[in-house]
Amino acid sequence: MVNIQKAAVIGCGFVGSTIAYTLMQKGLFSEMILLDANQAKAEGEAMDISHGLPFSHAMDICAGRYEDIADASVVIITAGANQKPGETRLDLVQKNAGIMKAVIAEIRRVNCEGILMIVSNPVDILTEVALRESGFPKERVIGSGTVLDTARLKYLISEKLNVDSRNVHAFIVGEHGDSELAAWSCANIYGIGLEEFARLRGCAGFEQEEEEIYCGVRDSAYEIIDRKGATYYGIGMAAAKIAEAIVRDSHTIAPISVPLSGEYGMKGLSLSIPTVIGRGGAEQILEICFSDAERERLEQSADELKSVLAQIGYR
């Protein structure tokens, strides 16, 4: 039986430990299990985070084994090789697909019935690998997708227009990577079309700024990695937001990576698409009327991912 108050994080590197820390601060769970190929690393992270509990919420945090996560409601998988400077997310696919297969085999062995949230990169590819290897219903296998990219987009738009980023409604879809695209046709500020709002703020011709903003979003991970070696704070908060939507059954909409089975005329791959998230995981994939150009770019992004899947034996 699933314990809605229990979470697991598999992989205790920069990303996994930051997600665990963020979840502790949010107080969403009463129990959290940390797993890592290096048991001592998992134990150390559990100890370090636990020492902050007097400043936060009551919670049991410990390192464990796969048997300990069988009843976890959310299993967050970050295990995998890190992205190196100059390396794309897709360069990671061969080694991380192998790691994902091994992790999923253990999850199946202990009959885990929770929702799998894939964060390891390339996330869209590995979400599809996790789905096929687990045999889980598709709504129970999701990826962090372009949730972080979307936050970056909102931030950069807000900086350009000097407005609260929480009033920016825009999102990134497609691959969490170089072929992703900004859905400019859907973007607005508090219900006002993006370009109209820009005009009101004295920024006429804002469409010329859109390409610069998009490139800033697409390349931001590379820039951060060049400067500090890894990205982890943003994705830590993004993953916690997805977990919160599941635990609170809030029916939040976010562009997570979801397995497609006919939506947008696509199937046999996972892609980052706005989706309603609740207690059951991916409750509904939303089919949005993108512009013709956006739809074409989305299909190109999907084709690139399908090509990579084929290269690692998934057709």
Side-chain angles (χ1 to χ4, degrees):
M1 184 175 178
V2 171
N3 178 358
I4 194 63
Q5 286 293 307
K6 184 173 182 179
V9 178
I10 301 176
C12 293
F14 284 127
V15 172
S17 58
T18 302
I19 290 172
Y21 173 70
T22 308
L23 290 175
M24 180 272 284
Q25 288 195 313
K26 277 185 169 288
L28 292 172
F29 301 95
S30 60
E31 185 176 0
M32 182 162 54
I33 308 296
L34 306 184
L35 284 79
D36 195 271
N38 181 345
Q39 179 71 8
K41 180 72 163 66
E43 292 171 354
E45 294 293 354
M47 291 170 64
D48 195 9
I49 296 171
S50 294
H51 293 165
L53 288 174
F55 308 115
S56 184
H57 307 271
M59 188 179 191
D60 182 19
I61 306 170
C62 64
R65 302 172 299 165
Y66 279 96
E67 285 77 5
D68 299 316
I69 72 169
D71 60 341
S73 63
V74 182
V75 177
I76 302 171
I77 304 175
T78 73
N82 293 327
Q83 187 176 352
K84 299 176 182 177
E87 187 176 41
T88 70
R89 295 179 181 95
L90 292 180
D91 288 334
L92 298 175
V93 66
Q94 291 286 358
K95 56 182 117 174
N96 282 354
I99 293 171
M100 183 61 65
K101 289 179 184 178
V103 169
I104 296 300
E106 289 297 300
I107 288 173
R108 289 188 61 185
R109 180 179 64 81
V110 299
N111 296 317
C112 179
E113 296 182 1
I115 292 167
L116 304 185
M117 185 199 306
I118 313 304
V119 181
S120 310
N121 277 318
V123 66
D124 304 288
I125 295 293
L126 295 183
T127 298
E128 187 67 21
V129 170
L131 173 74
R132 300 198 194 188
E133 295 295 324
S134 68
F136 284 9
K138 69 173 188 174
E139 61 271 13
R140 283 178 51 204
V141 183
I142 63 177
S144 53
T146 52
V147 174
L148 175 55
D149 310 75
T150 292
R152 289 167 172 159
L153 178 67
K154 292 179 178 182
Y155 169 75
L156 291 178
I157 292 173
S158 74
E159 288 291 290
K160 285 285 186 181
L161 296 177
N162 193 26
V163 65
D164 190 335
S165 61
R166 293 170 295 183
N167 292 141
V168 178
H169 303 287
F171 53 89
I172 298 285
V173 294
E175 175 207 357
H176 171 56
D178 295 341
S179 69
E180 65 188 20
L181 62 136
W184 294 115
S185 65
C186 303
N188 69 83
I189 311 291
Y190 205 66
I192 303 170
L194 182 59
E195 292 175 12
E196 171 63 12
F197 185 87
R199 186 189 65 78
L200 293 174
R201 296 291 280 172
C203 299
F206 190 74
E207 63 273 9
Q208 297 176 8
E209 306 279 355
E210 292 175 356
E211 183 64 20
E212 179 184 340
I213 291 172
Y214 164 73
C215 291
V217 172
R218 184 195 62 196
D219 300 337
S220 58
Y222 299 130
E223 294 186 14
I224 294 169
I225 291 169
D226 283 342
R227 287 166 170 79
K228 57 176 279 189
T231 71
Y232 37 91
Y233 293 126
I235 188 58
M237 290 183 279
K241 185 66 176 178
I242 298 169
E244 182 177 19
I246 294 169
V247 173
R248 300 198 188 286
D249 197 24
S250 61
H251 314 296
T252 296
I253 299 172
I256 58 174
S257 186
V258 285
L260 300 179
S261 53
E263 297 87 356
Y264 298 96
M266 304 174 190
K267 60 182 179 180
L269 79 161
S270 293
L271 204 61
S272 300
I273 296 290
T275 301
V276 181
I277 310 166
R279 183 66 55 85
E283 294 186 341
Q284 182 182 1
I285 299 170
L286 302 176
E287 293 201 60
I288 297 168
C289 293
F290 298 120
S291 70
D292 291 343
E294 290 166 351
R295 182 62 182 263
E296 182 178 351
R297 288 189 61 187
L298 183 64
E299 291 172 355
Q300 290 172 353
S301 186
D303 287 343
E304 288 192 26
L305 291 174
K306 290 185 78 170
S307 175
V308 173
L309 283 168
Q311 291 172 26
I312 60 173
Y314 295 91
R315 297 182 182 275

